[in-house]
């Protein structure tokens, strides 16, 4: 039996008042169960050095439902409650494997409102989706068609800070197939003046989505600051207005990155990027806002999972590789080069555009790794972290 890539199709929907109340109650119960299970696991380890797994927290959930204080957990579907315990188990697995920090408690104000349903928690027939504990199907805006004869294996319902409701259906998509092999390879240098610079010399403009709406955002935030503190209706309305501006910025940014990454993956067989530590770069007070707006991490994530889908290769070059200061013609390594220097001339007489030169060097380094795993001359003797300048292939993430 042929297996296809599983991908999520996300749609906007408009719940009835009764459905909105039921979903809001479910979100609250999911958050409550997650926090209680996290507290129980933390306490068990702190007091008794005991590790509690998913099966133990599932038994706890059964006991909690029988108490008078938590009897309201029986009013919502049990499927999202079990799923949140599985997510907590996954968080602890990642923590013990040193892939993530210790799990944090979910906040009513800051955490994402969502509930996940497996096949036993919903019914999908004739294009109508009905969730457990609901008598009517959701009013979904089918903005794009699902794959033919699609059968969702997972449904996630969420509400963002702007008050918009979304449903995401996880289905197998037979349309996602490896593309024909292409001999093209491209080096990609991320920046701020230009979002991306390719080794071909092409420069992709940075849309600066946040800057375009900065005045509107500032106005909405001033209105929010003038509202009385607390949970009043006027403050809630002003908070939603701020959230809508942020949502507009995020939607435009995501749309642009999707189009850009899809184009790059379709046109090139090998894509070489720099292994940037965006978290550390954000500590720069002068550039943090612009770096956040560029969304380099989101770009890399999209590039990697689409490369897996379509049979392409993404190679990440070590962050300490001096791509900007290395002459792509003769290989001479220059001295210090501040960010203000955008063009420079090598001793060999070649004048370089800083970003294009960096992209060409990244491509050469990536191809060297792809061919034999060797380094590319010249290498620095050491870096501030004690690492040699080695190129590495990025681990492919599951989409």
């Amino acid at each position: 039996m042929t297996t296809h890539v599983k991908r999520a199709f996300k749609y906007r929907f408009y719940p009835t008042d009764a459905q909105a109340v039921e979903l809001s109650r479910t979100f609250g119960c999911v958050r409550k169960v997650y926090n209680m299970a996290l507290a129980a696991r933390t306490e068990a380890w702190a007091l008794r050095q005991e590790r509690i797994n998913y099966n133990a927290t599932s038994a706890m959930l059964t006991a909690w439902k029988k108490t008078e204080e938590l009897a309201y957990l029986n009013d919502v579907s049990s499927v999202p409650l079990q799923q949140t315990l599985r997510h907590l188990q996954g968080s602890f697995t990642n923590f013990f494997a040193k892939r993530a920090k210790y799990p944090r408690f979910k906040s009513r104000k800051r955490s994402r409102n969502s509930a996940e349903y497996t096949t036993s928690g919903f019914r999908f027939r004739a294009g109508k989706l009905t969730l457990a504990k609901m008598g009517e199907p959701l009013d979904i805006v089918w903005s794009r068609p699902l794959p033919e004869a699609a059968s969702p294996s997972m449904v996630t319902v969420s509400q963002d800070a702007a008050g918009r409701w979304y449903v995401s259906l996880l289905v197998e998509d037979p349309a996602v197939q490896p593309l024909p092999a292409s001999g093209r390879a491209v080096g990609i240098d991320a920046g701020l003046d230009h979002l991306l610079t390719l080794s071909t010399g092409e420069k992709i403009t940075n849309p600066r989505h946040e800057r375009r709406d900065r005045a509107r955002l500032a106005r909405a935030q001033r209105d929010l600051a003038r509202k009385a503190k607390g949970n009043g209706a006027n403050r809630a309305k002003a908070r939603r207005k701020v959230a809508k501006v942020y949502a507009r910025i995020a939607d435009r940014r995501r749309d642009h990155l999707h189009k850009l990454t899809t184009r790059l993956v379709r046109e090139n067989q090998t894509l070489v990027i720099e292994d940037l530590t965006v978290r550390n770069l954000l500590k720069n007070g002068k550039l943090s806002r612009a770096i956040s707006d560029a969304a380099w991490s989101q770009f890399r994530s999209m590039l990697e999972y689409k490369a897996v889908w379509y049979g392409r290769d993404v190679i990440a070059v070590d962050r300490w590789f001096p791509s900007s200061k290395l002459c792509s013609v003769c290989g001479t390594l220059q001295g210090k080069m501040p960010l203000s220097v955008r063009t420079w001339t090598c001793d060999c007489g070649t004048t370089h555009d800083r970003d294009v030169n960096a992209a060409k060097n990244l491509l050469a380094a990536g191809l060297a790794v792809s061919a034999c795993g060797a380094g590319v001359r010249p290498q620095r003797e050491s870096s501030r972290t004690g690492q040699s300048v080695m190129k590495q292939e990025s681990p492919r993430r599951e989409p």
Side-chain angles (χ1 to χ4, degrees):
M1 180 179 177
T2 304
T3 58
H4 301 291
V5 169
K6 282 193 173 183
R7 61 184 298 189
F9 288 77
K10 191 174 182 180
Y11 302 95
R12 183 95 178 261
F13 77 96
Y14 296 88
T16 63
D17 292 341
Q19 289 173 340
V21 171
E22 176 66 25
L23 289 173
S24 297
R25 185 186 297 119
T26 302
F27 295 156
C29 291
V30 165
R31 186 170 56 248
K32 179 69 173 178
V33 169
Y34 183 95
N35 287 342
M36 288 195 302
L38 175 55
R41 295 182 68 146
T42 303
E43 182 180 353
W45 177 256
L47 299 181
R48 302 183 298 276
Q49 300 294 297
E50 177 187 356
R51 285 190 179 182
I52 297 179
N53 58 16
Y54 162 75
N55 293 330
T57 54
S58 181
M60 289 180 181
L61 175 59
T62 303
W64 291 336
K65 288 183 175 181
K66 295 178 180 178
T67 64
E68 182 179 354
E69 182 183 0
L70 299 173
Y72 61 85
L73 295 177
N74 295 290
D75 297 338
V76 302
S77 172
S78 62
V79 176
L81 305 185
Q82 293 290 343
Q83 284 299 106
T84 197
L85 294 180
R86 292 188 179 95
H87 289 316
L88 179 61
Q89 178 64 38
S91 298
F92 272 101
T93 300
N94 291 332
F95 168 71
F96 289 123
K98 298 183 178 180
R99 292 191 297 264
K101 294 183 178 180
Y102 193 81
R104 294 184 297 179
F105 290 98
K106 291 184 180 292
S107 166
R108 182 176 63 86
K109 293 183 178 180
R110 292 182 296 274
S111 298
R112 177 172 177 257
N113 287 328
S114 66
E116 194 173 85
Y117 295 80
T118 56
T119 50
S120 60
F122 66 88
R123 182 175 67 251
F124 185 74
R125 294 178 184 171
K128 298 288 186 180
L129 177 66
T130 306
L131 301 178
K133 299 282 187 178
M134 293 186 185
E136 302 177 47
L138 300 181
D139 181 16
I140 300 175
V141 179
W142 299 101
S143 52
R144 56 175 173 164
L146 283 172
E148 188 175 354
S151 178
S153 59
M154 189 87 68
V155 168
T156 303
V157 182
S158 60
Q159 184 186 29
D160 65 9
R164 302 178 299 181
W165 295 85
Y166 291 97
V167 59
S168 178
L169 293 83
L170 185 66
V171 300
E172 288 189 352
D173 188 1
V176 177
Q177 297 289 344
L179 295 171
S182 167
R184 298 187 60 179
V186 66
I188 304 172
D189 180 65
L192 296 178
D193 288 340
H194 294 88
L195 182 62
L196 300 175
T197 301
L198 308 184
S199 56
T200 58
E202 178 185 357
K203 294 189 175 184
I204 298 171
T205 304
N206 186 354
R208 301 184 186 273
H209 298 290
E210 186 271 340
R211 179 181 291 184
R212 290 170 56 187
D213 273 348
R214 190 171 294 177
R216 179 181 300 180
L217 178 61
R219 193 160 50 244
Q221 289 175 326
R222 284 196 298 269
D223 290 342
L224 174 61
R226 283 194 290 264
K227 299 297 184 289
K229 304 293 183 182
N231 298 320
N234 287 338
R235 185 170 181 82
K237 187 186 297 184
R239 189 183 297 114
R240 280 195 300 273
K241 190 174 180 180
V242 173
K244 285 181 179 179
V245 180
Y246 275 119
R248 171 187 169 93
I249 295 170
D251 288 348
R252 288 206 309 258
R253 181 188 297 125
R254 190 184 309 109
D255 178 69
H256 180 259
L257 290 179
H258 269 302
K259 293 175 180 176
L260 182 57
T261 51
T262 298
R263 178 204 140 193
L264 291 173
V265 167
R266 289 187 181 277
E267 292 179 353
N268 302 280
Q269 177 66 40
T270 303
L271 304 103
V272 185
I273 59 176
E274 190 174 5
D275 185 23
L276 297 172
T277 51
V278 179
R279 182 181 302 173
N280 292 339
L281 294 174
L282 289 174
K283 296 177 182 178
N284 185 323
K286 295 181 179 180
L287 298 177
S288 58
R289 193 169 191 171
I291 293 173
S292 297
D293 194 22
W296 293 334
S297 294
Q298 190 175 18
F299 166 77
R300 176 174 176 173
S301 176
M302 289 182 180
L303 198 68
E304 287 182 340
Y305 79 71
K306 290 180 183 181
V308 173
W309 283 1
Y310 298 112
R312 302 312 200 195
D313 298 314
V314 175
I315 300 174
V317 175
D318 187 89
R319 66 183 67 100
W320 298 112
F321 177 64
S323 57
S324 297
K325 300 187 292 183
L326 190 67
C327 177
S328 58
V329 176
C330 68
T332 302
L333 182 62
Q334 305 297 311
K336 290 186 178 180
M337 189 178 296
L339 288 175
S340 58
V341 177
R342 308 315 303 172
T343 59
W344 57 278
T345 302
C346 179
D347 295 338
C348 68
T350 307
T351 300
H352 293 290
D353 179 286
R354 180 192 182 109
D355 298 331
V356 175
N357 179 66
K360 290 179 179 179
N361 285 324
L362 290 174
L363 176 60
L367 293 180
V369 171
S370 179
C372 59
V376 174
R377 295 179 299 108
Q379 292 185 1
R380 295 181 300 175
E381 294 181 358
S382 64
S383 66
R384 285 179 295 176
T385 60
Q387 299 173 322
S388 63
V389 184
M390 296 296 293
K391 274 60 67 180
Q392 57 191 12
E393 186 170 354
S394 63
R396 288 181 172 179
R397 304 174 187 171
E398 289 297 327

